[in-house]
Amino acid sequence: MATNGVGDHKPDSGTGGTLPSSTSQLISRIPKILPHERVFSIQIGSELFKLSGASLSSDAPSYFSQYFACQIKKAEENGEDPASAIRTLSIDRDPVTFRDISLHLQGYHVQPRDATHFVRLFADAQFYTLPKLMSQLYEEAVYTTIGQREFVIPRELFSDPGNSPNFFSLGFAVFFSSPDDLFPGLDREGLLRPPSIVPPSVPGRSAEIFAEILHLLRGYPVNVRDEKHRAELLRDCRYFNFKGLEQRLIPHSISFNLARRKDEIVLRLKDILKSGITIGPEPTATDPQGAWVTYARPFVDDRPYELVLEIGDESTRLQFGPGGSVRAEFFGETKIRVAKMFEVIATKLNLPPTTQPLGLLMAKGGASSQPATPGNTPLSEDLVRVIMDPEASVTLDGKQWAGLEEGTVSVPSSAGGLGPGESPMGNSPSLQLSVPTPAGSSSRKRKRAEMSGGMDEWFVRTGQWRLKIQGVKNGKCAVECCLVAVKLDAMSSEQTRNVTRSFLG
């Protein structure tokens, strides 16, 4: 049994029975909702509690203060003595949980011990409508179980705009709602008892990985052991919807390119988000519409960097045409991603995302029903124009490719109107590019090249590209988006690919 005599007897401070000024001020701050000196009986389950009016008034208006205030008013209206007329309040709830609630009412700070204790305090605080306790629990850490391990997580870790809303604020909305919102979505009228609340838990995820994620959310540097470890961290970041942390973890490289005097970021195509894409204008005398695609990781970077886009998965084929023109063709998921990226770039340039008329699109089922290909955007044909920059590093069939051979031809200045001998990258001479025919190639390959009008092709295992916006004449619109080669790992034949195969272990 818990009892409280606060208000019944004033302790003798040795100064004529008066309270110290600090204690007097503390009591005076408690509203006079119930008589502070009167003791009220509350039966919780099988246990009787006696609490003073001061304790009950300290967190009010509540279920208790309203009940006893009505009892006092009724006794006064009937001319009865409130001491004998006020009945004991009986509530069929857990007395063990109420012991902590009574301590809270008596002025002690109550700290949840674990997830189960937290949800029981949370449910009963809302059931008894104790505004101060509800507010305290609303500010408390999040108690949850991940895998088989319990975690106590400060709420401020989830308040960062890049990581909120997240799995916890969305999946456990009752614990993240306003303290004034009693059981969100539940009609309180006629409610005899609060609904059962299960402690938050995510049994299907790794406790070890989640502990590392919390370590990162606290601001500690990212220490990725290997790509498998990175994939595990990214998978759970996406599961818990920590978008800002995910952007910190994705593979990237930020550096200052002294030759170009620019900060640049290298990112994989699959990690590009449309909200991070921007356009960095860089007009020249020969191309007043010149620009480069730049990128800033959402929630992480405070300024954009020049984008170097990495495309792998052996999904790019370069086609070399007459006159040294080079075009890139993409396959599978890469083709879709490139097309979507071009659509975003078009909107950033205030161009329509697609070149197809609206009426035709609606007749065919809308834009979403059309095949995703760069040719459906105003910035490119299906085969994207490629600029083989003289500074590009190219590995062909496992060997460094010089690109300068006898009988070479110039890459034509792209349709942006560059003059003869001017490079798309500046004032250096235009690249002399030979149609790649590796030494020792078979007559069948030469015959195939002749049959295709002199065209040849490379298969790019992995490539890094800058994205250049340049003016174009007689195109779909006034500008086009070109891929400027930075670093390529390419093959010229299937035989080279077969050489790199390995047998199953």
Side-chain angles (χ1 to χ4, degrees):
M1 179 185 299
T3 61
N4 181 11
V6 175
D8 296 337
H9 305 283
K10 295 183 179 180
D12 187 355
S13 64
T15 57
T18 60
L19 289 170
S21 59
S22 59
T23 306
S24 177
Q25 292 173 2
L26 178 64
I27 292 180
S28 66
R29 286 200 298 267
I30 299 176
K32 191 98 175 178
I33 297 176
L34 296 174
H36 287 186
E37 71 282 354
R38 188 176 299 279
V39 175
F40 299 89
S41 299
I42 304 174
Q43 182 80 30
I44 305 294
S46 59
E47 197 165 328
L48 180 66
F49 295 83
K50 291 183 179 293
L51 295 168
S52 70
S55 292
L56 294 178
S57 299
S58 67
D59 195 353
S62 67
Y63 184 90
F64 310 114
S65 65
Q66 291 177 347
Y67 175 83
F68 289 115
C70 288
Q71 292 286 309
I72 293 173
K73 182 179 180 181
K74 185 176 181 181
E76 292 174 347
E77 290 174 350
N78 295 335
E80 301 174 340
D81 180 11
S84 58
I86 296 176
R87 300 192 303 269
T88 297
L89 172 61
S90 297
I91 303 176
D92 186 18
R93 295 296 290 172
D94 174 35
V96 176
T97 302
F98 193 79
R99 289 174 196 164
D100 291 313
I101 292 178
S102 68
L103 288 173
H104 160 75
L105 293 172
Q106 291 166 339
Y108 297 97
H109 177 77
V110 177
Q111 178 75 33
R113 293 182 290 273
D114 51 37
T116 301
H117 187 219
F118 173 81
V119 296
R120 289 182 178 178
L121 282 174
F122 184 89
D124 279 8
Q126 299 219 37
F127 179 67
Y128 300 133
T129 59
L130 298 167
K132 290 183 180 178
L133 183 55
M134 284 191 294
S135 179
Q136 174 192 323
L137 292 175
Y138 176 73
E139 299 295 333
E140 280 286 352
V142 177
Y143 292 77
T144 186
T145 301
I146 308 294
Q148 303 301 318
R149 178 174 164 187
E150 284 197 354
F151 290 88
V152 181
I153 311 167
R155 283 182 182 244
E156 56 264 24
L157 290 185
F158 295 156
S159 62
D160 182 76
N163 297 313
S164 180
N166 53 57
F167 175 87
F168 298 96
S169 60
L170 295 173
F172 304 117
V174 64
F175 302 112
F176 286 83
S177 61
S178 165
D180 299 326
D181 190 2
L182 306 181
F183 298 107
L186 185 65
D187 184 6
R188 293 278 297 179
E189 186 175 354
L191 180 67
L192 296 179
R193 63 182 60 194
S196 175
I197 303 177
V198 178
S201 64
V202 190
R205 313 308 293 184
S206 166
E208 291 73 19
I209 293 296
F210 187 75
E212 291 183 296
I213 287 177
L214 288 183
H215 192 66
L216 298 175
L217 286 174
R218 290 187 174 100
Y220 290 94
V222 178
N223 181 23
V224 180
R225 296 186 293 272
D226 49 42
E227 287 307 307
K228 179 182 178 183
H229 182 219
R230 187 193 301 275
E232 291 174 344
L233 291 170
L234 284 171
R235 181 184 62 237
D236 278 14
C237 278
R238 288 163 184 150
Y239 181 87
F240 293 114
N241 204 41
F242 295 140
K243 295 181 178 179
L245 182 55
E246 177 190 352
Q247 289 300 304
R248 288 173 55 196
L249 286 170
I250 58 173
H252 68 280
S253 174
I254 297 177
S255 61
F256 178 71
N257 189 327
L258 185 58
R260 295 175 58 80
R261 292 177 174 80
K262 291 182 180 179
D263 291 300
E264 58 187 23
I265 183 169
V266 183
L267 285 171
R268 293 173 179 169
L269 175 62
K270 65 180 180 180
D271 294 324
I272 296 295
L273 299 178
K274 63 181 181 180
S275 58
I277 295 176
T278 51
I279 305 298
E282 194 171 309
T284 63
T286 56
D287 188 4
Q289 296 177 302
W292 297 91
V293 174
T294 54
Y295 192 86
R297 290 171 298 164
F299 314 114
V300 176
D301 297 326
D302 56 1
R303 59 190 177 89
Y305 305 93
E306 186 172 87
L307 176 63
V308 177
L309 185 67
E310 182 170 306
I311 302 176
D313 301 325
E314 200 176 313
S315 56
T316 308
R317 179 170 65 184
L318 297 185
Q319 295 187 3
F320 295 81
S325 64
V326 187
R327 294 277 182 169
E329 182 179 10
F330 301 102
F331 298 88
E333 188 70 22
T334 298
K335 183 176 183 179
I336 297 174
R337 291 183 185 276
V338 170
K340 296 296 183 183
M341 182 180 62
F342 277 25
E343 289 179 1
V344 174
I345 294 173
T347 59
K348 300 289 183 179
L349 293 169
N350 297 320
L351 300 172
T354 178
T355 56
Q356 299 195 37
L358 179 61
L360 180 60
L361 282 178
M362 297 304 294
K364 292 182 178 180
S368 61
S369 66
Q370 304 306 304
T373 174
N376 283 342
T377 71
L379 294 177
S380 177
E381 304 292 342
D382 283 340
L383 302 183
V384 181
R385 187 184 299 277
V386 170
I387 299 174
M388 298 295 291
D389 186 89
E391 303 298 331
S393 173
V394 179
T395 301
L396 181 63
D397 297 334
K399 298 180 181 180
Q400 192 70 20
W401 181 68
L404 296 174
E405 300 178 7
E406 186 179 355
T408 58
V409 294
S410 298
V411 175
S413 27
S414 67
L418 296 181
E422 291 179 332
S423 167
M425 297 295 296
N427 296 323
S428 58
S430 60
L431 174 65
Q432 300 295 310
L433 174 67
S434 63
V435 175
T437 305
S441 60
S442 64
S443 59
R444 180 177 62 179
K445 184 173 179 63
R446 289 196 299 270
K447 183 177 180 181
R448 178 171 59 83
E450 292 170 359
M451 292 176 61
S452 61
M455 292 185 65
D456 210 332
E457 59 188 16
W458 288 355
F459 309 102
V460 182
R461 289 192 185 94
T462 305
Q464 290 184 349
W465 314 85
R466 291 189 178 88
L467 282 76
K468 180 176 176 60
I469 308 298
Q470 62 181 16
V472 61
K473 298 177 181 178
N474 302 322
K476 295 181 179 180
C477 65
V479 294
E480 67 176 352
C481 186
C482 304
L483 297 179
V484 179
V486 176
K487 184 173 183 178
L488 305 180
D489 179 12
M491 304 171 291
S492 63
S493 67
E494 185 180 359
Q495 182 186 37
T496 303
R497 186 180 190 278
N498 292 337
V499 168
T500 62
R501 288 179 181 270
S502 60
F503 292 103
L504 298 177

